[in-house]
Amino acid sequence: MAAFCLSQIPSSTFISQCISDQSYLSMLEKQCASMKDLQKVHTHLIKTGLIKDPIAASRVLAFCTSPAGDMNYGYLVFTQIQNPNLFIWNTIIRGFSQSSTPQNAILLFIDMLVNSCVQPQRLTYPSVFKAYAQLGLACDGTQLHGRVIKQGLEFDQFIHNTILYMYANCGFLSEARRVFDENMEFDIVAWNSMIIGLAKCGEIDESRRLFDKMVSRNTVSWNSMISGYVRNGKFKEALELFREMQKQKIEPSEFTMVSLLNACAKLGAIRQGEWIHIFLRKNCFELNTIVATAIIDMYCKCANPEKALQVFKTVPKKGLSCWNSMILGLAMNGYENEAIQLFSKLESLNLKPDYISFIGVLTACNHSGMVNEAKDYFRLMKETYKIKPSIKHYSCMVDVLGRAGLLEEAEQIIRSMPLDPDAIIWGSLLSACRKHGNIEKAKRAAKHIIELDKNESCSYVIMSSLYAASHLFEEAMEERLLMKENNIEKEPGCSLIEVDGEVHEFVAGGRLHPKATEIYLLLNNLGLLLKEMRSYI
């Protein structure tokens, strides 16, 4: 799209004649490719006095509130408009409701009520309800709901749907259900909002029940259900629903594919993940930061960092999330030096690392036992980048010190950090104590874990193992008895394996797999075969 240069603007006389011409204003809007172009046009309109025309002002404001615009500049434009009409108020409120600062939409709405002679109408309210939904302020939104009822607008389709969206998005399911049930006619937007809200609150079975009852579905319906399954840890169900989506020839969106890649990452289903990657390429999906990060994350979590690195190198515009995913993926898969090199490259490109970037590089130092380097990066994060360490950063430091046998220093970090330690960070110290045979520190760590979570089994299991390794068998048995007395059970081990594109889950001692009988029979036969082979050795 060609840029709109100041020299291309016609004379003031011509503009004056055409300023009310919608086709000319439409052309002016289309010619602006960026805020820089719009600022030139805006400057010219100010100089000629044409900005006083409400149509011209509204078009400038409309561009500022678009995805290519700038809401801060838009607000400055708005403040210069004398006696803005309802359309202009609606434009600025809608723009802020879709921005990263939706609270400004609410503040402007209040300003409109209190300080202007313009009263809100049916097209004003949906943006304000969306702002309340974005902020999670459904309690405050109920007051606006009451105002809408008094004005007799509660059954307006757009208002009704945004009220439902606000309640569902904020977890007010009973209120959302009541509003939903008031809608006597099928409205796909309302159904989608309920499906999303139920899934978000963990009511995934009820969400699927509504999905199955829908008269017709669109891409949003399918994506909402698939992402709901992923959010609730039902990764197999997400993949199965996608297969059904394909059978019905529904075109998936970018968000559908990202949800499916996340499901494959959690399951370790690399074959299905590869198929989705190929599908994205064949169907010409844009390799933007969100999609690229999901692909990289999937390959890394499926233990194929080499393929992830290939994808990383082909991404045209790498966002910070791409770098973070690649750094962490390399660190988790034994490529610690490569992860650290990539972090250094990130810094050299003047991309400012965030707290996730430092989790990645600290993890790399942890896995490779680079204690001094970990300390340097931890100091760099705090002093140079002014990033406040989270519990995860402290956990990385405790882990790297613990693995190196620096137990006293590791414990000191836990006791001196400004955050309340959780069971995970004490668990890191406990594991290090077991590795280095330090019973006294292990006892203190285990005590803290039990105080934080009485049902946590790892402290009992690790202490029992540590006592047994130290030939303190009575103490080891006592830990096991304490577990039994407190009805604490060790969570059984679980493994996943992908065969012919299907993911199979196995739990230690479990017999729920449909072919469990045949599997155990095969294992018994293999055991007998091994015994027979030993007799010949």
Side-chain angles (χ1 to χ4, degrees), residues 75 92 106 129 161 211 225 272 304 373 413 422 436 443:
Y75 180 70
I92 190 70
I106 299 169
F129 281 118
N161 285 343
F211 177 83
M225 197 65 244
Q272 294 191 50
N304 195 338
E373 289 80 355
I413 280 186
D422 60 9
H436 297 284
K443 283 181 182 179

Side-chain angles (χ1 to χ4, degrees), residues 204-222:
I204 191 65
D205 293 334
E206 180 63 15
S207 182
R208 180 58 191 264
R209 189 185 70 79
L210 274 185
F211 177 83
D212 290 337
K213 285 179 66 177
M214 292 183 76
V215 178
S216 63
R217 308 182 186 104
N218 59 12
T219 303
V220 176
S221 313
W222 288 90

Side-chain angles (χ1 to χ4, degrees), residues 309 323-324 326-332 334-348 353 357-377 380 400:
L309 200 54
W323 288 86
N324 289 344
M326 195 67 251
I327 291 167
L328 192 56
L330 288 168
M332 295 296 293
Y335 291 80
E336 296 89 0
N337 291 331
E338 289 82 354
I340 292 170
Q341 289 170 12
L342 199 61
F343 181 87
S344 298
K345 188 175 181 181
L346 166 66
E347 286 190 294
S348 69
S357 313
F358 280 99
I359 289 174
V361 75
L362 287 172
T363 300
C365 294
N366 181 8
H367 288 187
S368 57
M370 300 166 68
V371 178
N372 291 330
E373 289 80 355
K375 290 180 179 179
D376 290 339
Y377 282 120
L380 178 73
V400 71

Side-chain angles (χ1 to χ4, degrees), residues 53 78 87 123 137 209 215 318 358 406 421 485 490 522:
D53 186 287
F78 172 77
F87 178 81
L123 294 179
L137 297 175
R209 189 185 70 79
V215 178
K318 300 177 183 68
F358 280 99
L406 302 172
E485 287 174 8
K490 181 179 179 294
L522 178 61

Side-chain angles (χ1 to χ4, degrees), residues 456-458 460-461 478-490:
E456 177 58 65
S457 63
C458 82
Y460 295 99
V461 174
E478 186 178 343
E479 291 292 327
R480 294 289 182 175
L481 288 173
L482 281 172
M483 279 184 69
K484 190 173 183 180
E485 287 174 8
N486 294 323
N487 294 319
I488 297 172
E489 293 185 4
K490 181 179 179 294

Side-chain angles (χ1 to χ4, degrees), residues 83-86 89 111-121:
N83 302 318
N85 59 25
L86 179 63
W89 276 104
D111 186 40
M112 178 186 183
L113 290 175
V114 176
N115 298 319
S116 80
C117 58
V118 178
Q119 289 299 304
Q121 299 296 333

